[in-house]
């Protein structure tokens, strides 16, 4: 098993950029697909991006396509989420997840505590 820990988010203005990172400790990082979800106030969790164990396949939610890039460094056990052209609706708590099988929902999913991202108008 692994324990994902997100970096501190931040407050940015509309149109700005932000890079989040997630460090997974305690297990074999390369055994897991990694992903990001987010939850805005009063809304359910939304899929943002995912990347497979080898890093050669990436997927994105419709709301962030063209503005987000996910990558991973298996040597450092880190997954990144680069977000550009941020909008106020991108605000929310971002969660990093490590999943032995994708999509998450099985017995081998490990979630971070989340990090706050706020995009001002």
């Amino acid at each position: 098993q692994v324990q994902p820990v997100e970096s501190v988010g931040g407050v940015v203005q509309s149109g700005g950029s932000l890079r989040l990172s997630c460090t997974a400790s305690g297990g074999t990082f390369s055994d897991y697909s990694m992903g990001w979800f987010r939850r805005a106030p009063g809304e359910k969790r939304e899929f943002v991006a995912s990347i497979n164990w080898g890093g050669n396949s990436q997927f994105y939610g419709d709301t962030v396509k063209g503005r987000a890039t996910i990558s991973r460094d298996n040597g450092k056990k880190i997954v990144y989420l680069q977000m550009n052209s941020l909008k106020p609706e991108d605000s929310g708590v971002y969660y990093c997840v490590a999943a032995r099988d994708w999509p998450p929902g099985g017995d081998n999913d490990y979630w971070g505590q989340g990090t706050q991202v706020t995009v001002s108008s």
Side-chain angles (χ1 to χ4, degrees):
Q1 57 184 303
V2 296
Q3 177 59 60
V5 178
E6 301 93 343
S7 63
V8 176
V11 180
V12 298
Q13 293 187 348
S14 296
S17 299
L18 184 68
R19 188 179 76 165
L20 302 177
S21 63
C22 172
T23 301
S25 62
T28 305
F29 182 72
S30 59
D31 285 347
Y32 296 86
S33 294
M34 302 293 297
W36 292 90
F37 289 75
R38 69 187 183 189
R39 178 177 290 165
E43 300 183 14
K44 294 184 177 181
R45 184 175 293 170
E46 176 189 30
F47 171 72
V48 178
S50 65
I51 188 167
N52 74 321
W53 65 268
N56 60 319
S57 296
Q58 307 92 41
F59 299 92
Y60 300 94
D62 290 339
T63 58
V64 300
K65 286 182 179 178
R67 301 188 296 114
T69 302
I70 188 171
S71 60
R72 68 189 293 166
D73 185 331
N74 286 347
K76 297 181 178 180
K77 298 184 178 182
I78 300 176
V79 61
Y80 302 96
L81 180 67
Q82 176 70 44
M83 297 182 290
N84 303 320
S85 302
L86 287 166
K87 308 173 182 179
E89 51 263 43
D90 291 318
S91 299
V93 178
Y94 283 68
Y95 299 89
C96 176
V97 61
R100 183 65 179 85
D101 301 299
W102 199 265
D107 297 331
N108 295 303
D109 303 333
Y110 304 95
W111 293 84
Q113 294 277 53
T115 187
Q116 178 68 47
V117 173
T118 302
V119 183
S120 62
S121 300

